[in-house]
Amino acid sequence: MFIANLSVAEALESLRTTEEGLSNDEAQRRLKEFGYNKLEEIKRQSILLLFLREFTHFFAIILWVAAGLAFFAEVNAPGEGMLALGIAILGVILINGIFSFWQEYRAERAIAALTKLLPQQALVYRDGKMQTVSAEILVPGDCLVLEEGDNVPADCRVIYASGVRVNTATITGESLPKARIADAVTDNSVLNAKNLLLAGTSIMSGQCRAIIFATGLHTEFGQIAHLTQTEKSSVSHLQQEIARLSKLVAAFAAFLGLVFFVVGTVIGLPFWTSLMFAIGIIVANVPEGLLPTVTLSLAMATQRMAKRNALVRHLPAVETLGSTTVICSDKTGTLTQNKMTAAQIYIHEQLVSVADHAQYENEIRLIQNAQYCHNLKKSFQKKHYVLLGDPMEIALAEFGRKSHDFGDIPVLSEIAFDSERKRMSVVIEHDGVRWLYCKGAPEMVLPLCSHIDSRNVISPADQAVQQQIIAAQNRMAKDGLRVLAFAYCRLEAEQTPQEENLIFSALIGLQDPPRPEVKEAIERCHSAGIKVIMVTGDHPQTAVAIARQIGLIKSDNPLVLQGEALRKMTAAHLHLALESPEIIFARVTAEQKMHVVKALKRKKEIVAVTGDGVNDAPALKIADIGIAMGISGTDVAKEAADIILLDDNFASIVNAIEEGRTVFENIRKFMTYILTSNIPEILPYIAFVIFRIPLPLTIIQILAVDLGTDMLPALALGAEPSDKKLMQQPPRPPKERLLSWGVVIRAYLWLGMLEAAASLFVFFFVLRQSGWEYGSMLGNTDPLYLQATTACLASIVMAQVINLFVCRHPRASAFPMKLSHNPMLWLGIAVEVVLILLVVYTPWGNELFGTHPLELAVWGLMIVLALGLGVLEEGRKLVARRFFSK
Ligand code: ATP
């Protein structure tokens, strides 16, 4: 017995259910029996494997080789300190592996947590009432209500269908939508049967009711789910760049190591000593922790964005957002509140307020039209029926109900709405007569009318009457109202419903106030150099009125392009039109919206586009950033999008852009910080080789900085809050390199040099104080030498403490920046200071790192020099702000 071959009644019988679905109790019972409607948790890689991966990647292998060489050297030339170096490198591999693993793990958890914010919902009959429930608790026998844009949550048999077309690409790979019906079929294949809907597919048009026959792993999708589990997560441009950069720096480090080895050998250093230097240089400069830190920064940004109502579906979207140059936004619901109320009526050649009941209380046709011509669903919530669906339709139905409630009249048939036709119609029967009620955009409804109020006949010659209606529409639109026309006709007994020879009854103007926060958001876009283009299906005058209210247009004559005009434009025309500073697209269809997006992309703009319907999916995919509405958006739109707005609010897009910009800046900040300390680590070696002085900093001490004291502060810089000024600058060019010349020069040639000078100064200060003369060499264990290297190490760390503050911004002074805005900084500094004190003052610290306790006066000098670095950098910033505008 194959369910597709059964009649509707037999299918219901076989699943022990009815057209009204199951009772709540029965559904509970079946849930226990059949389990939750979900696929097994995607098998994530085992934690152990993830952990091991951190020890086997490119950098780890370089380090393993270095450690191997050190041990090999120890065997060949014992007593040269190679054993300690080898052990230190193993320590590096371990610390690094654990740290990277922790970051990757946190990043992965952060992303995983986001998906839980948007659980899939389904509309289902339970106890005879329609309810919205989590898709996870659906059971066989449940009766689903599905419509355009919905994902099908389980395998089901259609029992009622109206114009249903379904996209089965996820299962069959076929992308052309296919029709679905309720009748029994003779087909024997689950995939092809025309009365089945399979989980994982989506409804492209129409509405239907369907009974679930398989859930969770028992669905067709469940069986092939392993295919989707192997889907690779996308790697962002930024991550690619960091990976490339890290390899470049590693290659540079290897080259430098080689040069040191050769130079060391040439100037007569023992072979093993030269080798040790070479290894040290490589280990010190390999940027092991960079990539995981960047990934973690991106992941943290997605969490901050989620808190501000923007859910990021793909990590790369975070950085693309930061360079967005144009936002194409819908009007209704995104810029406006989508809280509609009927405000004005144009009836009997008069424009009246809705409050003036006397003017229309006897207009049965208009009232019934408003009450029944819609696509709403009745749902039972908290002991009341509520209407679910488009707020405009809810407002109209309420308006009708308040005027005169005609009770529960079933809709016999419907000619559905789509954004091309901009109208819809229904057929109902009242007092034995069938009526067709039509509502829609006036320019789409009026041409179908032959009468007005059943009195005047509109003939092509009777332009004046039409002109009056159009004038009334314009008047309402100028006030920002959305205007719909209402018309109807009486159908004869056997007549098939058609939208022709209609009788015009009225225009209704609906108010939809702008969202209060949008005005400021638009201003922020403008000062951030981001162009906002309204792309709406609504009337141009309504669009302009709303655009004015929210400050989107300020001039007297903005460019308003309508769908019709757009159709006739050449690519060059459109290209030029898009240059105009204030531009609005009105009465456009989803397809035309896509043309606009394509044209903007051809202009090399980075385009963010909002959308909610099935038709918007292509535009959302094509855009650099597709943004779907979380509340009003269809599942199909959400799946095509990179970002989902949990509150449908335009202001949330702007907040997300701010976060996107912040991430990029923060990554630059911690790169500057990390790169700075490379210079005082390398210069001592060069000085040692060229000037024949005692080596100011040993390899193990370098490692103490790179993998100890520097780590947490760098992470703290990655968590810096947004800088308000970021949104007063133009968007970052998408090709702009993370490691720009500015960053390299500031880190290596300025801050790094200052730090190197300070640390070498302290080194020689300690030596000279004890009477050291240039040219005399000191033994590796000489207390004076130990003190001097310790001072060099500690002064690098002290300078890094101050550097942390100045790295918080490349131009702005560090003084006004509150530390309380980023508590991680405190932690970073505390750990940094405690670590260096442990290294300097504990016996095992002295043993491990070759250090010696320091006198208080030396600390004083170090602190003064570190503060000097801060003062000089503040001075540089001052000059930069004064004389070099950005
Ligand atoms: P946007 O959300 O982009 O600002 P919109 O919601 O007005 O625009 P569409 O949904 O494409 O865009 O609607 C276009 C026009 O179709 C509307 O201005 C209205 O005149 C008409 N319309 C919209 N919804 C309905 C409906 N449910 N029934 C009849 N007509 C409708």
Side-chain angles (χ1 to χ4, degrees):
M1 177 197 62
F2 179 41
I3 195 156
N5 306 145
L6 305 179
S7 70
V8 169
E10 287 165 343
L12 291 170
E13 172 59 31
S14 71
L15 288 163
R16 306 256 156 86
T17 184
T18 66
E19 282 189 15
E20 299 281 273
L22 302 168
S23 68
N24 260 327
D25 292 345
E26 178 59 14
Q28 294 294 339
R29 198 190 63 73
R30 290 193 188 191
L31 187 61
K32 281 200 193 104
E33 197 171 322
F34 295 98
Y36 284 98
N37 176 37
K38 60 176 184 183
L39 303 180
E40 251 173 307
E41 282 278 302
I42 290 189
K43 279 210 191 76
R44 297 214 315 272
Q45 275 188 335
S46 90
I47 299 232
L48 187 69
L49 259 177
L50 279 180
F51 187 67
L52 287 180
R53 213 175 57 192
E54 299 298 345
F55 296 90
T56 49
H57 57 70
F58 177 67
F59 299 133
I61 289 170
I62 296 188
L63 295 177
W64 283 116
V65 171
L69 273 175
F71 289 126
F72 180 69
E74 174 69 23
V75 175
N76 283 285
E80 295 277 336
M82 286 300 187
L83 184 64
L85 180 63
I87 293 173
I89 297 175
L90 288 186
V92 170
I93 298 173
L94 192 71
I95 296 173
N96 230 307
I98 292 173
F99 194 64
S100 303
F101 169 74
W102 173 71
Q103 296 195 69
E104 298 257 354
Y105 185 73
R106 266 186 67 190
E108 196 196 287
R109 297 273 76 196
I111 303 282
L114 292 181
T115 52
K116 295 214 177 89
L117 286 177
L118 248 194
Q120 208 197 334
Q121 307 260 304
L123 210 54
V124 68
Y125 278 102
R126 292 267 172 95
D127 277 344
K129 296 156 198 151
M130 207 185 317
Q131 303 176 13
T132 307
V133 300
S134 154
E136 273 192 13
I137 63 162
L138 295 175
V139 291
D142 262 329
C143 176
L144 284 175
V145 182
L146 295 164
E147 65 172 359
E148 178 176 310
D150 285 346
N151 279 345
V152 180
D155 288 357
C156 44
R157 161 76 159 86
V158 177
I159 58 167
Y160 159 81
S162 154
V164 173
R165 297 176 81 75
V166 59
N167 182 342
T168 58
T170 38
I171 297 198
T172 60
E174 164 107 40
S175 61
L176 271 187
K178 296 197 201 67
R180 285 292 178 263
I181 51 168
D183 304 335
V185 294
T186 51
D187 217 309
N188 277 325
S189 128
V190 181
L191 295 183
N192 296 331
K194 285 188 98 181
N195 55 11
L196 299 187
L197 290 171
L198 301 180
T201 61
S202 45
I203 312 279
M204 303 315 280
S205 64
Q207 303 149 349
C208 68
R209 274 206 262 161
I211 300 289
I212 296 180
F213 64 85
T215 56
L217 276 177
H218 304 289
T219 60
E220 286 298 308
F221 192 62
Q223 322 252 328
I224 57 163
H226 62 276
L227 292 179
T228 59
Q229 291 184 2
T230 53
E231 195 182 317
K232 278 216 163 139
S233 62
S234 37
V235 179
S236 85
H237 172 72
L238 199 65
Q239 283 167 307
Q240 281 169 6
E241 193 183 327
I242 295 285
R244 196 184 56 90
L245 207 78
S246 304
K247 288 202 173 119
L248 211 75
V249 178
F252 178 66
F255 169 75
L256 216 64
L258 193 71
V259 170
F260 268 72
F261 179 74
V262 173
V263 172
T265 317
V266 169
I267 64 169
L269 287 181
F271 174 82
W272 295 113
T273 313
S274 303
L275 183 67
M276 184 168 82
F277 286 156
I279 295 172
I281 289 282
I282 295 171
V283 174
N285 284 289
V286 167
E288 307 91 346
L290 209 54
L291 193 53
T293 312
V294 168
T295 310
L296 184 62
S297 294
L298 290 175
M300 294 292 115
T302 63
Q303 284 197 326
R304 285 199 302 273
M305 287 179 183
K307 277 199 195 116
R308 300 175 86 177
N309 289 320
L311 202 68
V312 175
R313 295 186 64 233
H314 310 292
L315 214 47
V318 176
E319 51 169 312
T320 318
L321 254 182
S323 43
T324 302
T325 57
V326 178
I327 307 175
C328 292
S329 174
D330 288 342
K331 172 177 70 68
T332 315
T334 315
L335 297 171
T336 66
Q337 300 181 13
N338 215 359
K339 284 190 186 136
M340 303 251 185
T341 37
Q344 290 181 10
I345 302 187
Y346 174 77
I347 195 164
H348 304 317
E349 292 161 38
Q350 275 189 66
L351 192 57
V352 297
S353 157
V354 163
D356 197 354
H357 292 272
Q359 299 285 346
Y360 58 87
E361 63 192 0
N362 297 324
E363 298 298 325
I364 294 180
R365 301 282 79 86
L366 173 66
I367 294 170
Q368 285 194 343
N369 195 341
Q371 214 172 109
Y372 301 108
C373 180
H374 59 65
N375 205 347
L376 300 170
K377 296 185 192 72
K378 269 185 181 174
S379 164
F380 193 75
Q381 288 174 4
K382 295 190 185 135
K383 298 191 180 161
H384 291 289
Y385 276 116
V386 289
L387 292 172
L388 295 182
D390 180 355
M392 177 186 77
E393 297 199 320
I394 295 176
L396 289 170
E398 289 296 322
F399 158 82
R401 215 155 57 173
K402 276 190 197 142
S403 308
H404 183 139
D405 194 348
F406 287 92
D408 225 358
I409 302 180
V411 168
L412 302 178
S413 65
E414 177 185 325
I415 308 177
F417 169 81
D418 74 46
S419 62
E420 287 277 346
R421 291 175 3 97
K422 298 189 176 59
R423 61 173 189 266
M424 70 172 288
S425 299
V426 295
V427 176
I428 67 161
E429 195 172 302
H430 185 233
D431 290 342
V433 180
R434 287 198 310 147
W435 299 97
L436 178 138
Y437 288 123
C438 173
K439 76 171 199 302
E443 39 303 26
M444 305 310 258
V445 176
L446 273 180
L448 311 173
C449 296
S450 53
H451 294 69
I452 288 187
D453 306 340
S454 62
R455 288 175 284 124
N456 298 346
V457 176
I458 307 183
S459 69
D462 198 357
Q463 292 284 329
V465 186
Q466 286 198 41
Q467 289 306 329
Q468 261 181 351
I469 299 176
I470 305 281
Q473 175 191 12
N474 287 343
R475 242 182 303 157
M476 286 196 262
K478 271 195 184 132
D479 289 340
L481 300 185
R482 160 184 275 223
V483 186
L484 284 198
F486 291 77
Y488 66 97
C489 70
R490 185 189 168 127
L491 295 174
E492 298 311 326
E494 294 303 313
Q495 190 184 343
T496 38
Q498 267 175 346
E499 294 164 326
E500 57 186 24
N501 286 331
L502 303 183
I503 304 164
F504 172 83
S505 46
L507 296 177
I508 297 186
L510 296 118
Q511 204 163 32
D512 179 17
R515 288 178 181 271
E517 56 281 59
V518 161
K519 195 167 184 173
E520 193 208 320
I522 300 254
E523 243 161 54
R524 289 176 69 204
C525 283
H526 287 162
S527 56
I530 301 166
K531 187 165 177 173
V532 182
I533 300 179
M534 184 195 275
V535 184
T536 176
D538 216 335
H539 188 273
Q541 307 245 26
T542 314
V544 169
I546 298 286
R548 260 191 219 295
Q549 287 172 27
I550 57 176
L552 190 55
I553 54 175
K554 295 190 173 114
S555 68
D556 289 338
N557 40 8
L559 181 58
V560 183
L561 278 179
Q562 293 199 44
E564 261 316 296
L566 198 61
R567 220 188 288 269
K568 294 178 195 140
M569 273 175 136
T570 63
H573 266 133
L574 185 56
H575 190 98
L576 290 172
L578 286 168
E579 316 239 292
S580 99
E582 290 181 344
I583 178 165
I584 286 180
F585 290 93
R587 285 288 189 236
V588 290
T589 59
E591 200 192 332
Q592 290 159 350
K593 181 159 150 185
M594 195 165 77
H595 282 314
V596 175
V597 175
K598 277 188 182 160
L600 283 165
K601 284 196 74 173
R602 276 197 299 272
K603 284 184 79 217
K604 302 268 177 293
E605 304 281 4
I606 305 290
V607 193
V609 167
T610 66
D612 46 17
V614 172
N615 301 345
D616 287 330
L620 292 176
K621 279 222 172 102
I622 270 187
D624 297 287
I625 295 280
I627 304 172
M629 300 297 134
I631 303 171
S632 64
T634 54
D635 295 340
V636 173
K638 286 178 195 163
E639 238 146 61
D642 303 293
I643 287 182
I644 297 172
L645 287 189
L646 294 175
D647 59 353
D648 289 11
N649 191 343
F650 179 82
S652 303
I653 304 176
V654 186
N655 291 339
I657 290 181
E658 184 177 15
E659 291 293 350
R661 289 187 174 192
T662 304
V663 167
F664 192 85
E665 285 304 310
N666 284 356
I667 291 176
R668 271 194 172 163
K669 287 177 196 170
F670 69 66
M671 284 187 70
T672 311
Y673 180 80
I674 292 175
L675 295 180
T676 299
S677 60
N678 277 359
I679 296 297
E681 287 165 2
I682 296 173
L683 277 189
Y685 278 83
I686 298 178
F688 164 76
V689 173
I690 298 179
F691 301 113
R692 295 306 187 100
I693 53 165
L695 180 64
L697 197 70
T698 66
I699 292 167
I700 296 188
Q701 288 166 350
I702 290 179
L703 296 179
V705 175
D706 281 2
L707 298 154
T709 56
D710 263 5
M711 284 254 208
L712 223 70
L715 218 76
L717 285 173
E720 277 282 279
S722 304
D723 167 18
K724 295 284 159 267
K725 292 226 173 74
L726 261 187
M727 290 302 273
Q728 287 156 19
Q729 292 160 12
R732 161 176 56 88
K735 291 261 152 59
E736 187 176 312
R737 293 249 161 249
L738 193 63
L739 198 63
S740 62
W741 281 113
V743 174
V744 174
I745 291 172
R746 179 168 173 236
Y748 278 163
L749 297 186
W750 172 243
L751 292 170
M753 286 297 183
L754 289 178
E755 247 183 60
S759 55
L760 287 177
F761 184 84
V762 180
F763 176 73
F764 287 117
F765 172 81
V766 172
L767 286 181
R768 293 285 295 169
Q769 239 193 353
S770 302
W772 174 82
E773 292 288 335
Y774 179 69
S776 62
M777 278 313 208
L778 295 165
N780 276 354
T781 49
D782 187 325
L784 176 59
Y785 174 70
L786 292 181
Q787 268 187 35
T789 56
T790 308
C792 182
L793 166 70
S795 76
I796 294 175
V797 176
M798 286 298 107
Q800 280 293 74
V801 171
I802 298 297
N803 194 22
L804 187 62
F805 291 97
V806 294
C807 280
R808 289 183 78 187
H809 201 286
R811 288 166 70 89
S813 163
F815 286 108
M817 287 184 218
K818 290 211 179 85
L819 268 181
S820 56
H821 287 174
N822 184 2
M824 274 276 279
L825 283 178
W826 284 118
L827 189 69
I829 294 172
V831 170
E832 192 165 18
V833 172
V834 168
L835 280 181
I836 190 65
L837 291 179
L838 289 176
V839 168
V840 178
Y841 289 104
T842 59
W844 55 264
N846 295 160
E847 183 73 22
L848 202 63
F849 295 96
T851 51
H852 192 284
L854 294 175
E855 285 166 23
L856 214 59
V858 181
W859 284 105
L861 178 65
M862 289 187 303
I863 291 171
V864 168
L865 289 175
L867 288 174
L869 175 140
V871 171
L872 286 172
E873 170 64 355
E874 283 293 318
R876 182 202 64 84
K877 285 181 179 182
L878 192 74
V879 172
R881 285 197 303 271
R882 277 269 162 85
F883 302 108
F884 304 96
S885 61
K886 212 172 176 188

